[in-house]
Amino acid sequence: MMNPTVLLKQNGCFLTPHLSSQLLHSRDGGGFGGSRLGTLMGPACTASVVPRLAGLMAAAVVVLKHRRYLFRCCNVAFPCRPNTQRNATSSSSKASSSSSDGCFEVVPIEGKGLGIVATRDIARGERVISETPAITWRAQDFSYTEDIQRQWDKLSDAQKVLVMDLHCAGERNLENILRGCAYPQGQGSEDWALGIIFCRFNHSCIPNLEQSWDGEAFKLEAYACTDIRAGEEMCTFYIDPREPRSERALQLQRGGNFECRCAACIDADGSHEQGRADIIRLGRETWSGKATASKKLQTLKEILDIYDRLDIHPQSFRRDVYEKAFELLRKTGDSKRAKECLERALDCSKMCRGVRHRETLRLSQRVDSLQV
């Protein structure tokens, strides 16, 4: 049998710190995925995948020293980058072999299987990961197409092992993994992307990471939406965390067959549920035809206060609030305050998408075009 170190190295993927005779065993952790598509593709690829899987798994053994895994892939920029930089490692370059370069590691998480924790303190707005997806497709073409097969065939054996080890709510095959673990290529997009490492981020209704899609670089990215301390689990969100608890639970059960146990879902004193109900109510009031501009601005401020009180961190939510406030103030002729709100929206966009993202550049141009 080929030495597993050689196999992983040849495929640009490393599982450290050591190698042992134990297999990467967890099936349930990390990345139940953002896509919740309504159709199943069926087991068309199983015949070609399963016969090879046993051999691949035997070759891709990993070490379980203190049950900790540190993933390094040639197409993932693991060092955190300030949002003023865009020098993510390209898919053809090698990641640093020094463990001090990484800002997170994949480890067992109690009750979740595998998950990702920070290896150092990370500041709000830092980019945590920038990963070229292993497989992409359009939602309307969600069937086992020749294009998906071609993308699968191009993956290395080690990458195929890691894909097949991702969470799968139903029968374990590539089709169900794609269905359950992919993220959309931008808000409302019909295009989807599967990132081998990206899909290891677990879900939380109080996330400390915010996912983003950089279409120019063709990468899945995540930014810290609040300060993260070393040793803290890093979570994105698969559904809108502002929804009522019952709705969130239903969506997570349908999409990933799991139950979220974050503080917002346990909600011992009911404050999270009441706060989310207030967000929905205030949102309706904001755009009620009967409400005055002054009343709408007040409700937007109350929504921001609830975000702060309940630790609802995603900066895109705040960006949307500031953009709405900008539109209201511009209509009332208060150009100074309108510009201040748009500048805050721009700051939020930088923290959740980076300075060179298309939407950030759009906001920057709008700010520059305003005259006070």
Side-chain angles (χ1 to χ4, degrees):
M1 179 186 297
M2 180 182 292
N3 185 301
T5 308
V6 175
L7 172 65
L8 295 174
K9 186 173 182 180
Q10 285 180 348
N11 288 280
C13 182
F14 298 86
L15 297 163
T16 61
H18 301 290
L19 290 168
S20 77
S21 60
Q22 294 178 274
L23 296 177
L24 186 62
H25 61 286
S26 175
R27 302 292 185 185
D28 299 320
F32 296 101
S35 68
R36 298 293 178 261
L37 306 179
T39 57
L40 288 170
M41 289 195 294
C45 71
T46 307
S48 63
V49 174
V50 174
R52 300 184 58 203
L53 187 57
L56 293 176
M57 291 299 293
V61 296
V62 299
V63 169
L64 305 176
K65 182 179 180 181
H66 307 302
R67 294 174 62 81
R68 299 170 72 84
Y69 312 84
L70 181 62
F71 280 65
R72 299 186 179 283
C73 291
C74 62
N75 64 337
V76 182
F78 277 87
C80 292
R81 307 288 188 186
N83 60 25
T84 56
Q85 299 183 34
R86 300 287 290 183
N87 53 344
T89 306
S90 69
S91 60
S92 60
S93 61
K94 294 292 183 180
S96 169
S97 60
S98 171
S99 62
S100 64
D101 288 341
C103 68
F104 65 76
E105 58 185 348
V106 182
V107 302
I109 303 292
E110 184 177 358
K112 299 182 181 180
L114 295 181
I116 292 179
V117 300
T119 56
R120 65 168 177 84
D121 291 348
I122 300 171
R124 183 182 65 171
E126 285 193 62
R127 190 179 65 190
V128 170
I129 183 173
S130 180
E131 179 179 8
T132 301
I135 298 175
T136 61
W137 71 94
R138 292 188 63 84
Q140 62 187 31
D141 300 326
F142 197 61
S143 58
Y144 199 74
T145 63
E146 292 183 359
D147 181 58
I148 291 178
Q149 181 65 54
R150 282 194 295 268
Q151 293 180 72
W152 171 258
D153 291 340
K154 289 180 181 179
L155 297 181
S156 67
D157 287 347
Q159 288 174 320
K160 291 177 181 177
V161 169
L162 295 176
V163 169
M164 294 304 297
D165 195 60
L166 293 172
H167 172 80
C168 187
E171 178 185 355
R172 178 162 297 280
N173 57 54
L174 177 61
E175 298 157 345
N176 285 340
I177 290 173
L178 292 177
R179 177 177 178 268
C181 291
Y183 282 82
Q185 295 180 23
Q187 185 175 4
S189 175
E190 293 186 352
D191 297 325
W192 300 84
L194 179 80
I196 295 176
I197 306 302
F198 207 96
C199 290
R200 284 295 179 187
F201 289 113
N202 284 319
H203 164 83
S204 174
C205 300
I206 310 179
N208 52 18
L209 291 182
E210 185 163 8
Q211 57 265 32
S212 177
W213 172 256
D214 187 334
E216 301 299 323
F218 204 72
K219 290 181 181 292
L220 285 164
E221 298 190 332
Y223 291 81
C225 53
T226 187
D227 292 339
I228 303 172
R229 303 191 65 176
E232 183 179 350
E233 185 180 7
M234 304 164 73
C235 296
T236 60
F237 50 99
Y238 305 161
I239 58 173
D240 191 331
R242 299 167 295 182
E243 293 282 355
R245 178 171 52 189
S246 59
E247 179 63 24
R248 300 198 309 274
L250 180 62
Q251 291 183 35
L252 292 174
Q253 187 63 36
R254 286 177 174 174
N257 192 29
F258 74 99
E259 180 183 4
C260 181
R261 300 293 295 169
C262 71
C265 290
I266 296 174
D267 197 17
D269 61 0
S271 60
H272 286 275
E273 188 69 0
Q274 182 58 54
R276 283 161 172 77
D278 290 340
I279 290 173
I280 295 173
R281 174 181 57 81
L282 291 168
R284 290 170 180 167
E285 290 180 5
T286 302
W287 300 115
S288 169
K290 299 179 181 179
T292 64
S294 177
K295 175 61 177 177
K296 291 178 179 179
L297 288 169
Q298 178 60 34
T299 57
L300 289 174
K301 182 180 183 301
E302 291 180 36
I303 290 174
L304 289 175
D305 290 341
I306 295 175
Y307 288 169
D308 290 336
R309 186 171 74 249
L310 299 184
D311 294 328
I312 299 177
H313 301 302
Q315 296 298 312
S316 61
F317 299 166
R318 298 168 187 270
R319 179 203 62 217
D320 291 345
V321 171
Y322 285 124
E323 280 204 80
K324 290 175 181 177
F326 161 74
E327 296 294 346
L328 288 170
L329 289 166
R330 186 180 62 169
K331 290 179 180 178
T332 63
D334 192 340
S335 57
K336 181 178 180 181
R337 290 176 62 199
K339 184 174 182 179
E340 289 174 355
C341 285
L342 195 61
E343 288 173 340
R344 291 188 180 185
L346 174 59
D347 290 339
C348 291
S349 185
K350 290 177 180 178
M351 285 189 282
C352 69
R353 288 174 169 166
V355 296
R356 295 184 61 185
H357 191 279
R358 182 186 307 170
E359 288 301 307
T360 303
L361 294 175
R362 176 186 65 82
L363 284 172
S364 180
Q365 291 172 355
R366 292 191 72 183
V367 169
D368 292 342
S369 66
L370 292 179
Q371 295 181 353
V372 179

